[in-house]
Amino acid sequence: MAEIIQKDGTWLFDGDTVRIVPGNDKGVSPLRAALGEIAVPLEALAGISFESGRKSGRLRLRLRDGADPLLQIAAGRLGESSDPYRLTVERDRSGVAEYLVDEVRNALLLDGVESGPVDRYLLPGPALPITASAGDGTVTFDGERIRLEWNWKTEESKSSGGPTILALADVESVEWQPSAGLDNGYMRFRVARAPASARPKYDPYAVELWGFRKDPLMALAGAAVVARLPHPYASAVTGTGTEAEPETEPAGTAAPGGEDHDALLRRLRELGELHQAGILTAEEFATAKQAVLKRL
């Protein structure tokens, strides 16, 4: 068990899952506060790092491409403060952060977790029902229907038709674009029957965003919808995503714990090679080796 508690939040690793709980500090972004606790399974991780600094450091989780619907819709455009997989660490807690990094890395090595893309979401996305308000509208999603309601700042030609209501089955994709410089952002629902998209300001299937603090909340609403749409890599990932059904093993090849004896021996050889190559320290190698031997 490894745990680090900071004003920014708490990270806890139990060997199988990294649990992320946002802090109560006033600097915690609305997105992270609204998202709440996240449970990241080990198989969803591509890596973890700790960057030390003069006054504070940063813990970062790197997820496998396609594992999280929020990161899928954000496409690398979430600001630092809104990124739930980043934790500011006070200088005197850097040792604890480094210990957590070592624990997660050892578990990834021991379990042989791939770092490539996946063809299904390994995180469920934001809880339902969800409501987010920003820019010129409010989006509500209950798992079946999406409702877009307009406020007094909405362009009249857009709001005159009343709220937009969409069935999940009619949505082909969701786009989220934060504001950049003088350009406003938006969140748009792509619908097959809709004509060519107008500018977000006039599009009844889009919320226009103006760069205010609550804008990222729209990414949460979009992620909740994306999590229930077909995965974009479902037919594209081969060899690095969800593994094919294993072939039936001959009798007598399973280890007492139900694992393949030869596979565990191969894992021991791999760990030895990583140690000889200098990737694993002697301590890391001994810990990982002992865990494999216990399985044997």
Side-chain angles (χ1 to χ4, degrees):
M1 180 80 70
E3 182 181 39
I4 182 167
I5 303 173
Q6 295 290 278
K7 293 180 181 179
D8 204 24
T10 298
W11 286 18
L12 182 147
F13 179 59
D14 62 7
D16 297 310
T17 305
V18 178
R19 299 193 178 277
I20 300 174
V21 182
N24 296 318
D25 187 73
K26 63 181 181 180
V28 173
S29 74
L31 181 149
R32 292 176 58 204
L35 185 57
E37 180 177 337
I38 309 172
V40 186
L42 193 64
E43 63 175 330
L45 292 179
I48 183 172
S49 64
F50 174 64
E51 305 162 4
S52 60
R54 183 173 299 178
K55 294 183 178 180
S56 62
R58 290 176 180 173
L59 265 174
R60 293 182 185 273
L61 278 185
R62 185 165 58 88
L63 271 61
R64 299 172 67 181
D65 189 15
D68 181 10
L70 175 59
L71 296 186
Q72 190 68 29
I73 191 174
R77 295 186 293 263
L78 275 181
E80 285 280 317
S81 63
S82 296
D83 187 349
Y85 303 113
R86 165 192 168 277
L87 180 70
T88 299
V89 178
E90 296 172 7
R91 186 176 180 182
D92 63 350
R93 304 299 289 170
S94 60
V96 179
E98 290 170 350
Y99 173 71
L100 186 143
V101 167
D102 288 342
E103 289 292 292
V104 174
R105 285 178 175 172
N106 285 340
L108 289 171
L109 282 170
L110 186 58
D111 285 18
V113 177
E114 298 283 348
S115 61
V118 294
D119 59 1
R120 63 186 176 89
Y121 292 119
L122 301 177
L123 280 83
L128 297 179
I130 186 171
T131 297
S133 297
D136 68 352
T138 297
V139 173
T140 301
F141 178 52
D142 63 5
E144 296 181 358
R145 289 181 176 80
I146 303 157
R147 182 183 179 91
L148 287 77
E149 297 183 85
W150 315 113
N151 56 41
W152 64 273
K153 296 170 284 188
T154 309
E155 181 69 25
E156 185 177 357
S157 62
K158 178 176 172 177
S159 61
S160 60
T164 298
I165 300 177
L166 298 170
L168 179 63
D170 293 332
V171 177
E172 293 186 330
S173 63
V174 186
E175 300 172 358
W176 177 75
Q177 176 68 53
S179 301
L182 298 177
D183 295 328
N184 291 338
Y186 62 88
M187 186 172 73
R188 173 180 281 128
F189 297 95
R190 293 284 184 183
V191 181
R193 67 173 184 269
S197 299
R199 288 171 53 193
K201 182 176 182 178
Y202 307 104
D203 188 351
Y205 299 104
V207 174
E208 186 178 35
L209 304 174
W210 299 316
F212 297 142
R213 191 165 183 258
K214 290 188 176 181
D215 279 10
L217 290 175
M218 282 295 167
L220 282 186
V225 175
V226 165
R228 288 153 182 86
L229 295 178
H231 196 284
Y233 305 155
S235 59
V237 177
T238 56
T240 54
T242 305
E243 295 180 0
E245 290 295 323
E247 297 180 1
T248 303
E249 294 289 343
T253 60
E259 297 181 73
D260 188 294
H261 186 274
D262 290 339
L264 292 175
L265 290 178
R266 287 196 299 272
R267 189 64 187 145
L268 280 176
R269 288 195 293 272
E270 291 172 0
L271 291 171
E273 292 170 358
L274 291 171
H275 177 46
Q276 291 178 359
I279 298 173
L280 289 180
T281 65
E283 184 178 352
E284 290 171 338
F285 171 64
T287 301
K289 177 181 176 183
Q290 186 62 32
V292 175
L293 291 175
K294 285 181 180 178
R295 294 185 181 185
L296 287 168

